[in-house]
Amino acid sequence: MKRHAALQQLSREHHIALKLARQARFASDSGNPTAIGEAAEKINALFAEALEPHFQVEETDLLPALAKAGGETLVKRTLDEHAELRALNQQLSAADGSKLSRFATLLNDHVRFEERELFELAQDLLYPEH
């Protein structure tokens, strides 16, 4: 999908998130407590260095502009999912396979939603010249 320059870096960062979701899925599906714990530790580290900064850019720059332009429903969903991902990340320290599974599913679905719906709407409303 061709992205407007303002969305290209965010879109590239989604690749990292999808890889992380996939790793979380493999670990949770394994049922192996060691693999689950290692995945949870990796997620905690990458969340702080990659996902949280990504969320902050979206929440500071993209989402307010999109809400003003008429995208309130998708903005609310995005913020709700960011909040749930943050909460799940905090709960992963217990190395719970079901929480890791929920994190994997939500992160994967969230990235797909942003790429297929949120960013498409942003391009239409904020960057119509794309």
Side-chain angles (χ1 to χ4, degrees):
M1 236 173 271
K2 186 159 170 68
R3 289 279 172 238
H4 185 274
L7 299 172
Q8 286 177 356
Q9 181 59 34
L10 290 171
S11 206
R12 278 192 287 275
E13 291 168 0
H14 280 158
H15 180 71
I16 295 166
L18 288 174
K19 284 175 48 179
L20 191 59
R22 185 170 177 243
Q23 292 169 345
R25 171 64 52 217
F26 285 147
S28 67
D29 286 353
S30 77
N32 180 316
T34 301
I36 291 168
E38 288 172 357
E41 284 179 28
K42 183 173 186 172
I43 288 166
N44 284 144
L46 280 174
F47 198 98
E49 74 182 48
L51 294 179
E52 185 60 37
H54 175 91
F55 289 175
Q56 290 295 320
V57 168
E58 288 178 342
E59 292 169 3
T60 302
D61 300 334
L62 177 64
L63 298 179
L66 192 53
K68 284 182 188 174
E72 299 90 352
T73 302
L74 296 186
V75 167
K76 182 180 178 341
R77 176 178 170 183
T78 303
L79 292 171
D80 289 347
E81 290 179 2
H82 284 183
E84 186 176 354
L85 285 163
R86 285 176 173 123
L88 284 167
N89 178 57
Q90 293 299 312
Q91 297 167 13
L92 287 179
S93 59
D96 179 322
S98 65
K99 286 201 175 24
L100 186 62
S101 177
R102 173 66 186 141
F103 183 89
T105 299
L106 181 59
L107 184 58
N108 181 76
D109 293 351
H110 177 72
V111 168
R112 301 294 183 201
F113 155 72
E114 285 191 351
E115 286 293 331
R116 294 176 181 155
E117 296 181 48
L118 186 77
F119 285 9
E120 288 297 309
L121 184 65
Q123 288 194 158
D124 290 344
L125 295 179
L126 302 177
Y127 316 109
E129 73 283 357
H130 76 276

